[in-house]
Amino acid sequence: MPTFSYEAATRTGQTVRGTEDAASEGALERSLSRRGLYSLKVQPAASGQARERGGGWVSRRADVTEAVATLAALLDAGLPLERALDVAARGAGRPDVVKALDEVRRAVRGGGRIAEAVAAQGTLFPEVAAGLLGAAERGGHLAEAMARLAEQMEREGALRSRVVSALTYPLLLASVGTVAVVVLLAYVLPKFVDLLADAGADLPASTAILIGASRLFTRFWPVLVTSIVACVAAWRTVRRPGAWRERSDAWLLRLPLVGALRARYASAQVARTLGTLTAGGVPLLQALDVAVSSTRDEAVAADLRAAQSAVRRGEPLSAAMARGRGFPHVFTRLVQVGEETGELDSLLLRAATQMEAELERRLGRFVALLEPALILLFGLLVGGVALSLLQAIYGIHADGF
């Protein structure tokens, strides 16, 4: 029977840790529940011990998401906020997350509002947290709001992970192919140049061109590297917040394939942020403020600011968003249906789910086209080099006979 490490909370808020044999994680959780313990974390004993010895391998975003989910569960179980924060801090793996949760707990204990304490932690918590928790404190449904926040963070993290996972293999393939071409040009070809020069044979045109490219690369590689660094620096300068960032984001939205992916990713984030906030009782104008500050696409942020001004003048949100550059037609139609039926929050969340599904489908097709294209490109490059060298070697042997 496997051994699991667990972390649980008592009804008084104390944290209990230990290891125990069980048939599965679910069986251990049920056993803890029968003993009056609320399960916070159950995992195989080896991985649990590795985390306790050095939890720094856990990403900060994942640790914060886990802490928020723990808070939601404890508040729903009736634990006071201060005790729930203490338990969540004890269960966090990263020192910076522990410190932030302790600071929030001290602020709450001193009579402060949790929304203000969370906002004081800077970028540790998402932008949506302060607005959602502030509305919850006024309405008296903090546990529900914390659960909404946990779900929002989990969905955003899952979407980000799926996008990164889909792009990892093409990026790895491109990196390996580039390294292979550089090694051929910088190391392999110069060796053959000496060999062919000693032979004194006439070189085929393709081989001569290849050798010329190799000589240019080995002689001027510092210029090439400097040019690449300069281009990267220029792009990073353009990508800084400001007018140039908005223009570059707008240009990216107009690109084939890439623009559609960016539009659906941004739409999913905006829809989930607006849907979560409005469902939690945050007014629409305030929710748009949070959506503007939380999106990383400056072109979409500009569209949201324009939509906010239009809503303030009394226009429907869907009509204002339809004039934007980053919102697909189906997204604005769902928003319009939500406004017409009075269920804007639920339709926004449904739009977020649909945008995520559409993003994954389009990303899958994009990667399915990109992978064979990269394989074909680098295969042709390496094959062309090999063929040119074989032609030269064959010419040497032919002259010898």
Side-chain angles (χ1 to χ4, degrees):
M1 187 173 293
T3 302
F4 297 94
S5 64
Y6 67 85
E7 187 174 320
T10 65
R11 297 187 184 278
T12 60
Q14 295 177 332
T15 304
V16 178
R17 294 184 178 88
T19 57
E20 190 171 317
D21 293 338
S24 64
E25 295 182 9
L28 180 54
E29 289 176 353
R30 290 190 293 272
S31 175
L32 293 172
S33 179
R34 287 193 295 269
R35 284 177 272 167
L37 298 175
Y38 187 86
S39 172
L40 300 176
K41 189 186 307 176
V42 175
Q43 53 192 347
S47 62
Q49 292 166 3
R51 175 171 178 148
E52 288 182 1
R53 288 194 298 268
W57 62 271
V58 182
S59 71
R60 187 173 73 167
R61 184 181 289 110
D63 213 22
V64 173
T65 301
E66 186 176 340
V68 172
T70 299
L71 283 171
L74 293 175
L75 290 174
D76 186 59
L79 207 64
L81 177 58
E82 184 184 345
R83 287 184 177 273
L85 285 166
D86 181 58
V87 173
R90 292 174 183 271
R94 292 176 57 95
D96 54 346
V97 177
V98 174
K99 180 182 177 183
L101 291 172
D102 282 336
E103 290 177 358
V104 173
R105 181 176 58 85
R106 284 194 294 268
V108 170
R109 186 173 56 189
R113 299 175 57 189
I114 186 173
E116 296 174 354
V118 165
Q121 301 306 315
T123 58
L124 187 71
F125 294 92
E127 294 281 349
V128 68
L132 187 60
L133 296 179
E137 284 180 309
R138 292 190 295 269
H141 49 274
L142 188 58
E144 180 183 350
M146 198 68 74
R148 290 182 184 276
L149 178 60
E151 182 182 4
Q152 161 93 353
M153 295 176 67
E154 288 170 356
R155 284 184 174 272
E156 285 189 353
L159 177 62
R160 191 179 297 107
S161 297
R162 291 196 294 270
V163 171
V164 171
S165 298
L167 295 176
T168 296
Y169 179 69
L171 289 175
L172 180 62
L173 187 63
S175 301
V176 172
T178 302
V179 170
V181 172
V182 169
V183 169
L184 282 174
L185 291 175
Y187 181 77
V188 177
L189 281 176
K191 302 293 185 182
F192 274 91
V193 169
D194 297 335
L195 177 64
L196 296 174
D198 293 339
D202 293 332
L203 298 178
S206 60
T207 309
I209 293 173
L210 193 61
I211 291 175
S214 175
R215 285 173 175 168
L216 285 174
F217 181 82
T218 54
R219 186 174 301 174
F220 296 105
W221 69 264
V223 177
L224 178 62
V225 172
T226 304
S227 301
I228 294 174
V229 172
C231 290
V232 172
W235 179 250
R236 289 177 64 89
T237 301
V238 169
R239 298 294 294 167
R240 289 175 183 170
W244 283 105
R245 171 70 178 269
E246 182 181 338
R247 292 174 186 173
S248 66
D249 283 341
W251 175 74
L252 288 172
L253 285 173
R254 291 193 296 269
L255 287 178
L257 295 177
V258 175
L261 294 176
R262 287 181 64 90
R264 278 149 184 81
Y265 186 81
S267 297
Q269 287 187 313
V270 169
R272 194 160 298 284
T273 298
L274 291 176
T276 301
L277 288 171
T278 53
V282 179
L284 180 57
L285 288 174
Q286 184 179 344
L288 283 167
D289 266 332
V290 176
V292 168
S293 58
S294 61
T295 184
R296 296 183 178 180
D297 193 306
E298 289 294 327
V300 172
D303 291 342
L304 287 174
R305 283 190 289 267
Q308 188 180 31
S309 299
V311 170
R312 192 176 285 113
R313 294 192 303 267
E315 290 187 36
L317 177 63
S318 57
M321 284 186 161
R323 294 193 293 269
R325 295 160 289 187
F327 303 114
H329 177 69
V330 65
F331 173 79
T332 57
R333 289 292 296 169
L334 285 171
V335 174
Q336 181 182 3
V337 172
E339 290 177 314
E340 293 173 353
T341 59
E343 298 180 356
L344 181 60
D345 52 353
S346 61
L347 265 296
L348 280 167
L349 293 174
R350 186 178 299 178
T353 302
Q354 185 162 341
M355 290 297 100
E356 290 170 1
E358 182 67 19
L359 171 64
E360 290 190 48
R361 285 195 295 270
R362 287 177 176 264
L363 186 60
R365 290 198 293 267
F366 176 71
V367 171
L369 291 173
L370 182 61
E371 289 178 3
L374 288 173
I375 293 173
L376 180 62
L377 172 63
F378 289 112
L380 288 174
L381 288 174
V382 175
V385 171
L387 182 61
S388 297
L389 294 177
L390 287 174
Q391 283 181 327
I393 293 172
Y394 177 78
I396 294 173
H397 284 287
D399 291 341
F401 289 108

